[in-house]
Amino acid sequence: MKSRHLVTLFGFVTLLLMVTNVSSEITKETLIDFDAKWLNGALRRVYHQQHLPNLPASLPDPDINAYLWLEHKQSRVIRHAMGETSALPRNSLKALMNSIANGDIIIEGDIRLTTEGDLICFHGDETKSVSTTEYLALKKSLGETPCFFLDVVQTLRSHPNVYFIVDAKDNFVETYSKIEKIAEDVLNQIIPQIYDFEQIIWVRNHKFSGAVFTSYKSALTNEQIFHYANVAKIQAVTLTKERTRKLETLPQTPFVFTHTIDAASEAEIFFKLGIKGVYSNSLPAFFSPQK
């Protein structure tokens, strides 16, 4: 019987591999839905080589003020990539300052740890390391000003009401250890975006302002994400638009955000589902969905 189950599992995983390489997103989503409903997401976890989170029973509670940022009216819009516009490049100091000037108080940015040990505001190819030399050369070729994480820290010092969500693209502990040293006095304004629930163990032992779990790379089902978020007392999760559309009801906790939405008409649809907010490049900071 076990052998038969393994063969069946292998068959489904093989099909998943095949589907991933074809253009039919409908077929792919159908298989994902079947896996989530009948197999508790097991096939997706096997394919992505992920396991169910192993959280300690003694996980520290978040600081009492760790999620104060969720109480702000502007928490409906998290500014994506520091506020890229047609005139301002993503993950740039100019974009960050423009976002703050326009009323944003929760701003997300991509942070890379270079091979030389510098923290830069940059996305790039997540599968490849990046050097400071390469980054500076790229910025020079584009006629853009480089942005280091220290620039973000100095901006936070000048704007104590602003929060910055860090999307770290490289080694988690190394990146955040470096951030902790550079930004020790503003850690209460820095929100780690985690991709693995077990990363919250490290976060809780430091002084960051809460955390956001993002589903972008996760093989967990929506129900599992909500369950482990509540176990870990993580009050905010970000789901892809595809995941959010499948929700029949939203949980009271955690709060749900989705990304990335720039059209007001599309944002209205998602807010009617009951989400807390969206990541956006262009929605105004004080965007208010219609009743």
Side-chain angles (χ1 to χ4, degrees):
M1 183 65 68
K2 288 184 179 179
S3 177
R4 184 184 302 172
H5 287 165
L6 287 174
V7 170
T8 302
L9 179 62
F10 178 80
F12 274 113
V13 172
T14 301
L15 179 59
L16 183 59
L17 285 166
M18 293 171 61
V19 168
T20 304
N21 292 320
V22 300
S23 59
S24 176
E25 287 297 318
I26 295 177
T27 305
K28 179 180 177 182
E29 290 301 317
T30 299
L31 183 56
I32 290 174
D33 291 344
F34 175 87
D35 176 42
K37 181 176 181 178
W38 298 105
L39 300 173
N40 207 24
L43 295 183
R44 200 175 185 186
R45 293 197 303 276
V46 169
Y47 173 65
H48 288 284
Q49 298 183 338
Q50 296 181 15
H51 59 268
L52 292 175
N54 182 19
L55 297 174
S58 58
L59 182 67
D61 287 341
D63 182 83
I64 191 172
N65 296 320
Y67 288 96
L68 283 178
W69 54 276
L70 287 171
E71 299 177 9
H72 290 277
K73 182 178 180 180
Q74 294 100 306
S75 65
R76 289 197 187 104
V77 176
I78 295 175
R79 189 59 59 211
H80 177 248
M82 294 167 66
E84 176 185 17
T85 70
S86 58
L88 300 173
R90 59 167 38 197
N91 296 312
S92 67
L93 182 58
K94 288 183 178 179
L96 175 62
M97 296 305 297
N98 183 65
S99 295
I100 294 173
N102 287 331
D104 291 314
I105 66 166
I106 305 173
I107 301 168
E108 178 263 358
D110 303 302
I111 303 299
R112 300 295 304 269
L113 179 64
T114 70
T115 53
E116 293 93 332
D118 296 311
L119 291 174
I120 59 175
C121 307
F122 184 60
H123 191 291
D125 186 344
E126 296 182 46
T127 65
K128 298 179 180 178
S129 59
V130 60
S131 72
T132 305
T133 302
E134 292 171 336
Y135 172 68
L136 293 176
L138 175 63
K139 287 298 179 180
K140 183 177 180 180
S141 69
L142 295 173
E144 298 173 359
T145 304
C147 180
F148 288 83
F149 186 68
L150 182 58
D151 297 319
V152 175
V153 173
Q154 291 172 340
T155 302
L156 292 177
R157 287 170 179 154
S158 302
H159 299 84
N161 64 321
V162 171
Y163 295 88
F164 189 84
I165 297 179
V166 173
D167 187 355
K169 300 298 184 182
D170 301 288
N171 182 279
F172 184 87
V173 173
E174 288 182 16
T175 299
Y176 280 100
S177 295
K178 191 86 173 181
I179 289 174
E180 189 175 31
K181 291 179 182 178
I182 294 175
E184 184 177 7
D185 57 319
V186 292
L187 289 184
N188 64 320
Q189 293 171 254
I190 296 175
I191 306 166
Q193 183 167 272
I194 63 174
Y195 289 88
D196 182 336
F197 276 109
E198 293 175 13
Q199 291 172 337
I200 196 63
I201 301 170
W202 192 93
V203 171
R204 284 285 164 77
N205 289 314
H206 299 77
K207 299 178 181 179
F208 294 96
S209 189
V212 178
F213 177 84
T214 181
S215 69
Y216 180 63
K217 298 180 180 179
S218 180
L220 298 176
T221 66
N222 285 344
E223 289 73 19
Q224 289 166 341
I225 288 174
F226 298 149
H227 168 73
Y228 286 104
N230 285 322
V231 168
K233 297 183 180 180
I234 296 172
Q235 295 182 27
V237 301
T238 300
L239 302 182
T240 62
K241 290 190 286 187
E242 291 74 21
R243 282 179 176 270
T244 306
R245 290 190 187 101
K246 295 176 182 178
L247 294 174
E248 295 182 2
T249 58
L250 267 72
Q252 291 186 334
T253 58
F255 291 109
V256 174
F257 292 82
T258 192
H259 62 78
T260 301
I261 297 178
D262 292 332
S265 57
E266 185 178 23
E268 292 284 356
I269 293 172
F270 281 95
F271 276 109
K272 286 179 180 178
L273 296 176
I275 65 171
K276 172 68 173 175
V278 300
Y279 286 56
S280 179
N281 296 300
S282 59
L283 289 176
F286 290 93
F287 177 80
S288 182
Q290 298 178 2
K291 300 295 184 180

